[in-house]
Amino acid sequence: MIKKISMVKLLINLPFLLILASNLLSLHMIHGQTQDSCGSNSILGNLSGQIFFDTSSLNCFPVWSSENFVLRYAQAGPSLWSFVLSAPNSNSYVGMGFSPDGAMVGSSAVVGWVASDGSANMRKYFLGGQTPSQVLVDQGDLQIIGNTSSVISDSSRIYMAFQLAIDQPRRQLVYSVGDNSNLPPNTPSFRLTKHRTQMAISLNYASAQGSRIKAPYSNLKRAHGILNMIGWGILIPTGAIVARYLKHLDPLWFYAHTGIQSLGFILGFSGVIAGLVLEDRLDANVNKHKGLGITILAFGCLQVLALLARPTIDAKTRKYWNWYHYSVGRLMILFAIVNIFYGIHLAKAGSSWNAGYGVVLGILFTTVLILEIKLLKKK
């Protein structure tokens, strides 16, 4: 009897099991189409008719795991090197640059893409600066062997194959992915739009091992972000909360308020100085971010001056001073929050920074909400 019931349940659930198995198989197939690894060199065998040089003995290195970039390479002869870069086809370009110092600016790069009409393209560029006008097509010191170059789109991936006439390629390699919200380069200018993200590695060609190169001034960037976030974005709002809701703890609230705000101003001021130094060294175009930062600093300076010119509590001008002090402080906090998120966006720092600061703001907002309700009940 038990066996019959089990068989009936199996038959009833069979269609659902088949659907589940079909979905799992589909997911596996999709995953297999979009992934590549150094353990799957047979993939290049399927493209042998479209890659115009021998790929049987290429070294392999996963140069950019988060973007699933895989580089295969080998010395094909005296002063001749073969390269195949594999990357997901994101309907934009993929780029590989050979850098003298690990930076993108100053590199000579090979860039490939597949246009919307299915035509494959590859060009070389000299990355003379950070603006599109400074990225020069058909320039640079790379000698690409033209009749062996190809760009292939296969199974949701793009393969950029080329050979260089060179004794020894540069070890510092930079990689980039175009923003798929922009069209790929097209005729006649082949202008390259700003990349979505980038990275750099130092590759040992003999051992097929490499290490990631930190972005220039990465420690200074991190210091700039942390100082501004803690100073303007956390301490200043905390000091304002103390001033509004803890006045019954007189005079403790006043000393706590001035102490927290002073520390926030010092950290924020240091963060702005770090940002100005960073802009000068990187020659970055961050005018909006810089303008907001200087405005926030100016508001902070006005608040310091307001403290020095603070009238007595019974003075006739006290209500005007209070209005000024509250208004400038709230504007400063609002601008600081906006500029912190904008700075995270400019730095491409990732969702963890957004989430972390968002959690802190959530805690501050919840605290304000609770204290404001209590304050209204007392009234």
Side-chain angles (χ1 to χ4, degrees):
M1 184 67 181
I2 295 173
K3 288 183 179 180
K4 287 183 179 180
I5 293 172
S6 299
M7 287 296 295
V8 170
K9 286 185 177 179
L10 179 62
L11 291 172
I12 292 172
N13 292 322
L14 185 59
F16 301 101
L17 293 173
L18 290 173
I19 292 171
L20 178 61
S22 176
N23 287 336
L24 291 173
L25 181 60
S26 299
L27 286 172
H28 176 74
M29 291 175 66
I30 291 170
H31 180 77
Q33 287 178 345
T34 58
Q35 298 294 313
D36 187 10
S37 69
C38 289
S40 57
N41 285 335
S42 59
I43 289 176
L44 295 189
N46 299 330
L47 307 175
S48 58
Q50 302 174 74
I51 297 178
F52 307 121
F53 51 80
D54 181 23
T55 62
S56 59
S57 58
L58 298 180
N59 298 298
C60 184
F61 183 66
V63 290
W64 196 358
S65 298
S66 61
E67 295 289 335
N68 197 18
F69 273 45
V70 177
L71 178 67
R72 295 176 173 89
Y73 68 91
Q75 185 170 9
S79 301
L80 182 64
W81 286 75
S82 301
F83 294 90
V84 179
L85 178 65
S86 162
N89 188 355
S90 59
N91 298 318
S92 188
Y93 66 82
V94 296
M96 174 180 174
F98 296 81
S99 172
D101 56 4
M104 183 158 283
V105 174
S107 303
S108 295
V110 183
V111 179
W113 66 92
V114 177
S116 56
D117 62 0
S119 61
N121 297 269
M122 181 191 298
R123 312 290 293 202
K124 67 177 182 178
Y125 292 83
F126 175 67
L127 311 180
Q130 296 187 345
T131 60
S133 61
Q134 295 173 301
V135 178
L136 307 178
V137 66
D138 296 330
Q139 301 293 320
D141 58 8
L142 299 179
Q143 297 183 43
I144 300 175
I145 309 300
N147 58 357
T148 63
S149 302
S150 58
V151 175
I152 305 127
S153 176
D154 182 77
S155 298
S156 301
R157 293 189 68 82
I158 185 170
Y159 297 83
M160 187 169 68
F162 59 94
Q163 289 187 303
L164 294 182
I166 193 170
D167 292 331
Q168 179 66 48
R170 288 170 175 160
R171 292 184 57 183
Q172 285 76 29
L173 304 176
V174 294
Y175 298 91
S176 63
V177 183
D179 191 335
N180 58 16
S181 62
N182 298 320
L183 291 174
N186 51 54
T187 56
S189 66
F190 291 103
R191 175 68 61 87
L192 208 60
T193 56
K194 187 173 178 59
H195 49 264
R196 171 175 59 82
T197 185
Q198 68 174 76
M199 65 86 67
I201 67 162
S202 177
L203 178 63
N204 185 326
Y205 288 98
S207 64
Q209 297 295 318
S211 58
R212 188 160 184 168
I213 300 173
K214 281 188 175 182
Y217 306 109
S218 57
N219 291 334
L220 185 58
K221 287 180 183 177
R222 191 175 294 107
H224 166 67
I226 291 173
L227 286 170
N228 283 301
M229 185 180 291
I230 294 175
W232 303 121
I234 297 176
L235 289 177
I236 295 294
T238 301
I241 291 171
V242 169
R244 179 165 177 80
Y245 300 109
L246 299 181
K247 283 188 177 176
H248 59 284
L249 301 176
D250 192 44
L252 180 61
W253 77 267
F254 176 76
Y255 296 118
H257 172 67
T258 53
I260 293 171
Q261 300 302 72
S262 297
L263 180 58
F265 177 81
I266 291 169
L267 293 180
F269 179 79
S270 302
V272 172
I273 297 301
L276 293 174
V277 172
L278 194 60
E279 182 202 27
D280 180 65
R281 292 184 180 180
L282 292 179
D283 191 27
N285 182 16
V286 289
N287 291 333
K288 292 179 182 178
H289 184 58
K290 176 183 175 182
L292 279 170
I294 291 174
T295 302
I296 294 163
L297 179 60
F299 283 155
C301 293
L302 288 173
Q303 292 292 70
V304 173
L305 293 175
L307 179 64
L308 299 175
R310 178 170 171 259
T312 59
I313 196 166
D314 56 348
K316 292 181 179 181
T317 56
R318 182 58 181 253
K319 66 176 182 180
Y320 302 108
W321 183 90
N322 285 340
W323 177 84
Y324 157 84
H325 187 56
Y326 299 159
S327 300
V328 172
R330 287 166 182 169
L331 276 175
M332 180 173 63
I333 292 170
L334 176 62
F335 282 17
I337 292 171
V338 170
N339 209 27
I340 287 167
F341 281 117
Y342 185 44
I344 293 171
H345 166 72
L346 289 177
K348 297 181 175 65
S351 58
S352 59
W353 282 74
N354 281 319
Y357 185 55
V359 168
V360 172
L361 285 184
I363 293 171
L364 291 174
F365 177 79
T366 303
T367 303
V368 168
L369 189 62
I370 293 170
L371 293 174
E372 190 68 25
I373 290 170
K374 287 185 176 180
L375 191 64
L376 290 172
K377 284 183 177 179
K378 286 183 180 179
K379 293 180 178 180

